[in-house]
Amino acid sequence: TLPLWEPSPIKLGAVGYLSKPEGKFITLFNSLAPEKGTIGAVQGLPSLYGYGRVSCGHQRQDRRNAAQRGYDAFVGLLTFKGKSGDFSSQSIARRYSFPLKSGHKTARVFTESTMYNYMESLDVPKKWFKANVDAILRIYGPVHHIQKEDLFLVIGTLDSQDYALF
């Protein structure tokens, strides 16, 4: 697997590949609207919607519950008098531990809250991908040096406003 060390916005329905030297996902076009593609040949591909009903779901995931976030906001409003007589607000610090194993590589992404977007049923995306993968390779294969095994159809994304990678 290849971690996305340079996270970038990727839309649901994106068709693309992982660029291993750069460590990022390269979007070729979006299967939900191929007519908006930049290459004329891809504009002739059918939309994912032409293969059946595509329904998307969304789920918010918070690391801290509402009570914890409220407490953080309250403490952030408080000011404290220091020894020198000047006022300062107390900073909020939290510590998290992650298990590490000697000799094993690890990568972590840390975020307070995320929005998980996904396609609820995979029948339509599978049918669309199988029907169009050869046409996509004819259009993009020679230019991007990709093969069938390199292509991805994005069926789920995890969006976050703030994150840290380590």
Side-chain angles (χ1 to χ4, degrees):
T1 60
L2 176 71
L4 296 177
W5 288 110
E6 293 183 31
S8 58
I10 300 172
K11 302 282 187 197
L12 214 53
V15 176
Y17 64 96
L18 294 173
S19 175
K20 292 177 182 151
E22 292 91 30
K24 62 182 178 179
F25 185 80
I26 306 297
T27 300
L28 301 172
F29 67 97
N30 195 299
S31 62
L32 296 171
E35 68 278 0
K36 294 181 181 177
T38 57
I39 295 178
V42 80
Q43 294 171 351
L45 289 176
S47 167
L48 201 62
Y49 295 116
Y51 284 77
R53 186 173 178 270
V54 179
S55 58
C56 300
H58 312 281
Q59 182 181 11
R60 183 178 170 89
Q61 300 170 336
D62 289 314
R63 183 166 179 88
R64 299 178 58 76
N65 65 31
Q68 291 169 322
R69 289 192 311 273
Y71 175 75
D72 289 348
F74 174 72
V75 170
L77 294 174
L78 297 177
T79 55
F80 299 93
K81 188 175 184 179
K83 290 180 183 177
S84 61
D86 34 330
F87 290 91
S88 66
S89 62
Q90 180 180 351
S91 63
I92 300 169
R94 294 185 288 275
R95 293 182 185 197
Y96 299 100
S97 62
F98 300 98
L100 299 175
K101 200 169 190 179
S102 178
H104 292 253
K105 295 179 182 178
T106 185
R108 306 274 188 206
V109 61
F110 185 85
T111 180
E112 286 291 320
S113 64
T114 60
M115 179 64 77
Y116 175 47
N117 304 300
Y118 57 94
M119 292 184 186
E120 291 180 345
S121 172
L122 300 182
D123 295 336
V124 170
K126 283 181 184 178
K127 193 185 317 180
W128 180 90
F129 195 77
K130 285 179 184 177
N132 293 289
V133 68
D134 292 327
I136 296 166
L137 287 173
R138 277 194 302 278
I139 298 166
Y140 290 102
V143 176
H144 292 270
H145 308 290
I146 53 175
Q147 301 174 27
K148 194 179 284 192
E149 303 82 37
D150 300 324
L151 278 179
F152 288 94
L153 170 58
V154 177
I155 57 168
T157 63
L158 193 61
D159 299 335
S160 178
Q161 197 170 22
D162 299 310
Y163 60 88
L165 299 170
F166 56 97

